[in-house]
Amino acid sequence: MPTHRTPDGATHDDADDRPRPDLAEPPEHARFAAYLDALDRVPAAEEASLVRRVLTDEDVTMARSAVVRHLDRTAAAFPRATADDESWHAWTEAMGTAVGKDAFLTTRLGEWTLLRALTTPSDARARIAPPATPGTAGAIQALGTASDWLQRRLVEAPDASPQALGFLAEHGRTKKVRAAAANRVR
């Protein structure tokens, strides 16, 4: 039976015994990690500038991924006072300017604001669902066109508005969201 050889002349059996060449990390992976580290440590006054710089990277997909990860981490950790918190609005405005016309990043920022409007800080003393306000009603209607990401996130939020959960139980984009929302409403 003939032996097959690799381009360097080694047989296949021998080729499997040789050590693999050192596979270096792709440069975009290293830049992604460096961007996340820099974004994690940037002072608030320089955050928007750094986000703009990251978005000028030649690898647009990687840069957008780094920025969306930063937006998600920052928004999730943002102190919760109220949905009308001035510091929240100042941050989202600064980030909105920084991401410019990037539709995905702009939408994600808007959805974080919507998520904050449809959740309330947990309060063990509050056993009654808060009444729907005109602002809440508008936010609930916006759920109809919200992304799957936002609908899943809202269903998983322990402090989600019962009205929003009821809406998602009937009008959620996916069967999984509708089922999860219906279980939470019960």
Side-chain angles (χ1 to χ4, degrees):
M1 172 175 236
T3 303
H4 297 284
R5 300 196 177 270
T6 62
D8 65 358
T11 64
H12 280 292
D13 293 337
D14 295 338
D16 291 337
D17 294 335
R18 287 183 293 146
R20 292 180 166 227
D22 186 25
L23 300 176
E25 179 179 43
E28 63 273 12
H29 291 200
R31 289 195 319 273
F32 179 81
Y35 287 150
L36 287 180
D37 184 54
L39 287 164
D40 195 35
R41 297 200 264 152
V42 68
E46 299 169 21
E47 182 181 15
S49 176
L50 181 56
V51 166
R52 280 191 295 277
R53 260 196 327 260
V54 169
L55 290 173
T56 63
D57 192 282
E58 63 190 31
D59 187 336
V60 177
T61 302
M62 180 277 303
R64 182 184 288 151
S65 295
V67 170
V68 80
R69 173 101 41 105
H70 172 68
L71 295 177
D72 288 349
R73 287 190 311 194
T74 304
F78 212 91
R80 286 294 306 271
T82 66
D84 296 326
D85 186 21
E86 288 181 32
S87 59
W88 172 259
H89 289 297
W91 179 76
T92 57
E93 187 174 314
M95 290 301 99
T97 301
V99 302
K101 296 181 180 181
D102 187 299
F104 176 76
L105 295 172
T106 301
T107 298
R108 182 59 66 94
L109 275 171
E111 288 191 336
W112 271 108
T113 298
L114 183 57
L115 181 65
R116 284 175 64 93
L118 294 171
T119 57
T120 54
S122 297
D123 183 355
R125 296 168 296 183
R127 300 281 184 226
I128 302 171
T133 63
T136 305
I140 290 170
Q141 290 305 312
L143 281 176
T145 58
S147 70
D148 292 348
W149 174 87
L150 175 63
Q151 290 188 2
R152 283 191 312 270
R153 187 100 183 190
L154 185 59
V155 167
E156 295 167 359
D159 50 0
S161 156
Q163 294 86 1
L165 291 172
F167 179 87
L168 288 177
E170 290 184 39
H171 306 287
R173 290 171 53 122
T174 66
K175 186 176 180 178
K176 184 176 181 176
V177 164
R178 290 189 302 274
N183 285 337
R184 294 270 318 271
V185 171
R186 291 183 198 157

